[in-house]
Amino acid sequence: MTEPRLPLIHHPGYSFDWPARHPFPMAKFHALRARLSELGFDDDPAVEWITPPPAHDRQLLRVHTPAYLQTFHLGDADPLARKRSGFPWSPALVRRTLLEVGGTLATLEAALRTGLACNTAGGTHHAYPDAASGYCLLNDLAIAAREAIEMHGIRQVLIIDCDVHQGDGTAWAFRHEPRVFTFSIHGEHNFPFTKRESDLDMALPRGTGDEDYLTMLERHVPALLERLQPELVLYDAGADVHAGDRLGHFELSHAGVTRRDRFVLKQCLMADIPVAAVIGGGYDRDLAALADRHARLHCVARELWRQR
Ligand SMILES: [Zn+2]
């Protein structure tokens, strides 16, 4: 039997032709893939690259309402609703969004098979069942959690959302669902300005640095794994906690973000809980710097994979 390889999920269609001046760095997925090539991920025998298919409507409908999905596919006639997404609607945007959700679903499948898998996109946690919000059209984390429950018989999912912004859409989607526990650690005074109640929220002040942040994680993650005994962890490794991020208000260093990812992944692996990781938010005009921040997740995953 051949040794299992670390599954990394990427589709070239995650990035597509996008207005250069738009504040969302759509080219970052392509830049991240290129950075991973530079870091030796292409010809690494320990790594398996997977190209995902687009998500199917039947998978989206486990979270999103039929009326909202129609709007998602056809564009919203209401200018206010269009503004809430933060994106200019186009058929090409619909296609790449379906690929991104398909990527997180493929990451889930791969994690259940091998114990650990990482997407090079995903973490669109602001999308609500019936509305887009904050650069998020579909909630890939929520769709993956539902897929895990309904198609894989998973009885308890834990979502660890370490993006600097609160996972409001996910919290809302699962407010009545005990099989999905939502944990969000985020900036108190950052978007979304109306927070939703997760099962556990850690709201931290502006300027939070490595030590305070990691102390909180170290206090809560092992205890949650112990108490909930989840059969799956979905990990949002948002890079917007980094001190250099344009939209984050935290001061985590490069080493701090790396320690965070290593800590979360290692806790899951030690407890033998499959973990599917997505990259979450990250905003910088300097795409090379941003891609390198996101690549920490994949580097840490590979390091832990080799130590197994
Ligand atoms: Zn974010």
Side-chain angles (χ1 to χ4, degrees), residues 146-160:
R146 281 278 173 226
E147 177 96 358
I149 290 170
E150 292 183 26
M151 300 308 289
H152 298 280
I154 297 289
R155 287 166 296 184
Q156 183 68 60
V157 181
L158 168 61
I159 297 178
I160 301 178

Side-chain angles (χ1 to χ4, degrees), residues 26-231:
M26 193 61 84
K28 75 175 182 174
F29 310 101
H30 178 76
L32 169 58
R33 182 64 187 85
R35 180 69 186 127
L36 292 173
S37 290
E38 287 170 6
L39 291 166
F41 278 78
D42 288 350
D43 38 21
D44 188 329
V47 169
E48 170 191 14
W49 282 101
I50 295 173
T51 308
H56 195 278
D57 265 7
R58 80 181 126 70
Q59 297 169 305
L60 313 183
L61 279 165
R62 297 198 187 105
V63 169
H64 295 282
T65 63
Y68 173 65
L69 279 188
Q70 187 170 354
T71 306
F72 162 74
H73 282 293
L74 302 175
D76 203 316
D78 173 7
L80 260 184
R82 278 210 303 270
K83 197 163 172 240
R84 195 175 165 197
S85 83
F87 281 160
W89 184 90
S90 69
L93 177 67
V94 171
R95 274 198 300 279
R96 73 80 47 197
T97 304
L98 292 171
L99 289 174
E100 181 174 43
V101 177
T104 300
L105 288 167
T107 308
L108 159 72
E109 300 279 337
L112 292 176
R113 176 166 56 83
T114 66
L116 172 62
C118 304
N119 199 356
T120 56
T124 48
H125 58 173
H126 299 308
Y128 280 73
D130 61 351
S133 176
Y135 302 146
C136 301
L137 300 178
L138 300 173
N139 194 317
D140 65 325
L141 292 166
I143 294 163
R146 281 278 173 226
E147 177 96 358
I149 290 170
E150 292 183 26
M151 300 308 289
H152 298 280
I154 297 289
R155 287 166 296 184
Q156 183 68 60
V157 181
L158 168 61
I159 297 178
I160 301 178
D161 188 337
C162 289
D163 189 283
V164 79
H165 304 100
Q166 197 217 14
D168 57 336
T170 323
W172 184 253
F174 294 122
R175 67 196 185 283
H176 302 310
E177 175 53 88
R179 292 174 292 181
V180 181
F181 190 99
T182 52
F183 169 44
S184 179
I185 175 165
H186 53 263
E188 189 176 10
H189 298 297
N190 210 327
F191 182 89
F193 300 106
T194 304
K195 309 281 192 281
R196 301 292 181 179
E197 198 178 328
S198 309
D199 293 302
L200 179 61
D201 283 301
M202 292 280 103
L204 303 179
R206 255 172 211 278
T208 293
D210 292 351
E211 294 314 316
D212 288 343
Y213 187 92
L214 290 162
T215 300
M216 283 311 227
L217 264 194
E218 284 162 12
R219 186 174 302 164
H220 290 286
V221 170
L224 282 175
L225 295 178
E226 176 67 29
R227 176 157 73 85
L228 296 165
Q229 301 278 318
E231 293 174 332

Side-chain angles (χ1 to χ4, degrees), residues 239-263:
D240 45 12
V241 293
H242 192 278
D245 194 81
R246 279 199 309 118
L247 301 184
H249 299 151
F250 284 176
E251 297 293 333
L252 267 74
S253 69
H254 211 67
V257 180
T258 308
R259 273 174 62 196
R260 176 197 70 173
D261 291 347
R262 186 181 292 120
F263 178 75

